[in-house]
Amino acid sequence: MSVDQPTVLVVEDELAQREVLAYNLEAEGFRVLKAENGEEGLLIVEEENPDIIVLDWMMPNLSGIEVCRRLKSRAETRSIPIIMLSARTEELDKVRGLETGADDYVIKPYSVIELMARVRSQLRRVRPSTVGLQLEFDDIVLDAETHKVSRSEKPLKLGPTEFRLLSTFMEKPGRVWSREQLLDRVWGRDIYVDTRTVDVHIGRLRKALTQYGGDDPVRTVRGAGYALG
């Protein structure tokens, strides 16, 4: 698994629909997690912290609306984009879905191509580096497509791990990332790496960012982790 792959959670109780969605998302280069009901979906969100959720409205026991409401009421999961899928075509239903916190609303039957475009659109907002966008913070520019970084228009040499660390920081400047969160995002959950390794690579990133002078933009937050700016 590439650690740059965005993770999509599909919560859908109909097996055929779930598998079609998973197949198409994987073909688009996403890492896909699947849940067959709302309870399982909430557990997976807690364990895996996906980048985006595709959520069916009509499910037994715990509806998609209730799952959405719970996720949007918690600070830790509020920022995860949710695309609600529903056979309900009434305008009021759509409004209710969006008012509950859904970021987008797609009516069944839907075009798979359109749904993929909407997933990418939401990801562009929360993880811009995964869709090849250029990120900027003060005088630092990171081009996710060409894997080039510059500061004050001078090219910087970064190793692949330092590049992924910087991408993560630049997607959400000011956000404090714990070492464990950085391990998940930059190294991937499937690889065992000691948390002290994060400190080593942060040191390398700092050295690279200040190789031509200038302030160190990476901030150490005592007892919490690291942040950019």
Side-chain angles (χ1 to χ4, degrees):
M1 180 195 85
S2 160
V3 293
D4 285 333
Q5 275 181 306
T7 301
V8 183
L9 169 61
V10 175
V11 187
E12 165 65 76
D13 64 318
E14 289 181 35
L15 175 63
Q17 293 259 14
R18 195 165 63 243
E19 292 306 318
V20 165
L21 274 171
Y23 174 82
N24 282 283
L25 286 162
E26 282 168 355
E28 289 279 317
F30 298 115
R31 172 179 176 242
V32 180
L33 305 169
K34 295 179 279 188
E36 60 183 51
N37 56 55
E39 292 90 342
E40 189 186 2
L42 288 172
L43 279 174
I44 291 174
V45 171
E46 193 125 337
E47 291 167 3
E48 297 278 350
N49 192 31
D51 293 297
I52 185 167
I53 301 166
V54 177
L55 176 64
D56 184 39
W57 176 321
M58 299 292 285
M59 290 187 292
N61 301 326
L62 199 62
S63 71
I65 279 280
E66 179 57 21
V67 171
C68 181
R69 191 192 63 75
R70 290 189 193 182
L71 291 173
K72 294 297 183 179
S73 67
R74 291 175 56 215
E76 314 90 87
T77 52
R78 190 174 296 143
S79 62
I80 303 174
I82 294 175
I83 298 177
M84 185 81 76
L85 303 179
S86 178
R88 294 168 176 260
T89 57
E90 294 295 321
E91 195 68 26
L92 278 174
D93 291 321
K94 184 175 181 179
V95 169
R96 188 178 160 211
L98 295 171
E99 281 183 347
T100 308
D103 298 87
D104 202 351
Y105 187 97
V106 177
I107 294 166
K108 293 179 176 182
Y110 49 80
S111 147
V112 170
I113 293 169
E114 183 195 353
L115 183 58
M116 296 302 124
R118 291 190 186 216
V119 168
R120 288 203 175 278
S121 172
Q122 291 298 329
L123 276 170
R124 201 171 288 124
R125 194 166 55 78
V126 291
R127 280 196 69 188
S129 71
T130 61
V131 285
L133 295 186
Q134 187 169 286
L135 307 179
E136 293 183 25
F137 176 80
D138 288 348
D139 57 350
I140 303 166
V141 178
L142 180 148
D143 191 312
E145 203 153 12
T146 61
H147 270 239
K148 288 180 179 174
V149 180
S150 64
R151 186 169 190 186
S152 298
E153 297 183 1
K154 292 176 181 167
L156 303 180
K157 277 196 169 180
L158 266 69
T161 301
E162 289 69 45
F163 183 88
R164 288 197 296 270
L165 271 172
L166 184 59
S167 297
T168 300
F169 285 135
M170 289 183 72
E171 282 170 0
K172 289 185 168 64
R175 170 179 168 168
V176 179
W177 295 84
S178 70
R179 288 169 178 82
E180 289 75 16
Q181 287 171 331
L182 289 170
L183 281 174
D184 284 349
R185 177 60 69 91
V186 175
W187 280 265
R189 282 180 175 268
D190 306 336
I191 300 164
Y192 176 75
V193 182
D194 193 283
T195 51
R196 284 170 297 186
T197 306
V198 176
D199 302 332
V200 171
H201 286 279
I202 290 284
R204 289 179 187 168
L205 175 61
R206 284 179 156 145
K207 196 173 176 182
L209 290 172
T210 56
Q211 62 189 270
Y212 300 115
D215 295 334
D216 176 7
V218 180
R219 183 165 51 96
T220 302
V221 182
R222 204 176 161 86
Y226 298 101
L228 184 68

